[in-house]
Amino acid sequence: NPKDLIWDSDIRPDGAAATLTFKPSDDFTWFLTPGFFALGEYRESRGDEDFETLMILQGGLDADITENAYVKFGATAHIFNDVVAGGFAESAGTNTTDIENAYSVEAEFGLTAFPVFVGALGQYVASDADEDESGYLLGLKVGDKSVKALGQWQLTYNYRSLEKNAFPDFLMDSDAFDGATGVEGSEFELVIGLAENVTFGIDYYRMADKNSDAEQNLLQLDLVLKF
C-alpha cells in the first residue's frame, strides 16, 4: 500500500504471505502475493467461539517507464471469514454492517528528472456492503525518493475520504480519527534524515467526521532508528 488508508502499518497479525515475481526485463516486474492471516478470537462476552481469518491475493507491477520515471500498480482482494461488525475489542464502532469481501487498487508514479523527486500516489477501496462501501486517498510527495541519510528529506501530503463500511474498522489507521471509518481529511508528513538510517518525522492529521461536525487534529513527532 502506498499509504495506510485501510491497514494500520502497526498491525501485524499471525499468518503467512509469499511474493512470486516475474521479471521479463530489468525495467519491468510482475508480482503476485497470496496470504492468509489469523485476526484473533471474538471477545468472550459475545459467547462466540468462531475464529476470524483473512485471505488476500494481490497482483501488480513495478516498472521503470524511462530512466527518470517509474510506476507501481497493485490490486488486492481481501476475503474475510467470521468477521462481524463490532466483534473486536479494537473496533472503532463505526461499521454498520458485516464486511465479507473488500477490494482495493493502489498506484504510485514518480519522477526523478527534477532537482527534487516528485511523486503522486492514490488508493481506492470498495467492499461488498450495501451502503457506505467505498473510500479513496490521493497524495503528493516531494524531496528525496527515500530518506536514509543525513540531509535527505521528504514532504508528503494526502487527502482521504472513507465511508463507514469501506473496510473493517479494527484494521484502520489508528492515528486518523482514532481509526474510525466515515471520516475525511488531510495528512501532512515531513521526514528528515539525521544520520544513516536515523530519521526525524513530523506528522499532522486534520480529520473530520463525514456525518457530524466532529473534528480532530493530531500532531506527532517520530524518531526512527533502523537496524
Side-chain angles (χ1 to χ4, degrees):
N1 291 335
K3 287 293 292 182
D4 44 7
L5 171 69
I6 58 172
W7 191 286
D8 193 314
S9 57
D10 292 330
I11 297 176
R12 300 181 183 276
D14 293 335
T19 299
L20 310 173
T21 61
F22 172 63
K23 196 175 180 70
S25 71
D26 291 339
D27 300 326
F28 200 97
T29 301
W30 290 98
F31 63 87
L32 181 69
T33 305
F36 179 83
F37 302 96
L39 298 179
E41 297 180 358
Y42 285 124
R43 290 169 289 178
E44 292 182 1
S45 61
R46 291 181 57 90
D48 197 326
E49 298 180 355
D50 289 336
F51 195 78
E52 308 84 30
T53 61
L54 166 63
M55 292 185 292
I56 67 165
L57 183 63
Q58 182 183 65
L61 61 87
D62 186 348
D64 292 327
I65 304 172
T66 69
E67 183 179 352
N68 298 310
Y70 74 86
V71 63
K72 297 179 181 179
F73 174 83
T76 309
H78 307 79
I79 312 300
F80 296 95
N81 181 55
D82 287 325
V83 172
V84 175
F88 288 78
E90 300 82 3
S91 295
T94 48
N95 288 153
T96 60
T97 187
D98 299 345
I99 298 171
E100 295 183 358
N101 305 307
Y103 307 93
S104 65
V105 292
E106 44 272 336
E108 181 176 327
F109 174 75
L111 294 171
T112 58
F114 302 110
V116 296
F117 165 76
V118 178
L121 54 94
Q123 190 170 17
Y124 177 80
V125 60
S127 75
D128 61 355
D130 292 332
E131 59 181 4
D132 298 327
E133 76 283 3
S134 64
Y136 68 89
L137 178 147
L138 297 172
L140 293 170
K141 53 186 178 181
V142 297
D144 290 286
K145 187 176 180 180
S146 60
V147 180
K148 299 179 180 179
L150 175 65
Q152 295 181 332
W153 63 277
Q154 187 181 97
L155 177 64
T156 305
Y157 167 79
N158 72 74
Y159 177 85
R160 69 187 69 191
S161 178
L162 197 66
E163 295 180 333
K164 284 188 175 183
N165 300 312
F167 209 70
D169 61 12
F170 64 93
L171 295 172
M172 312 307 299
D173 180 2
S174 61
D175 298 324
F177 217 104
D178 299 323
T181 56
V183 299
E184 60 187 356
S186 298
E187 178 189 5
F188 302 84
E189 183 179 15
L190 174 63
V191 180
I192 301 170
L194 301 182
E196 185 176 359
N197 295 323
V198 181
T199 62
F200 174 73
I202 303 172
D203 203 358
Y204 173 64
Y205 290 83
R206 183 175 178 84
M207 305 295 298
D209 191 307
K210 292 170 65 70
N211 304 288
S212 73
D213 295 330
E215 295 183 352
Q216 185 183 82
N217 295 281
L218 177 66
L219 178 65
Q220 294 180 318
L221 305 179
D222 297 309
L223 181 63
V224 179
L225 289 78
K226 296 183 178 180
F227 300 95

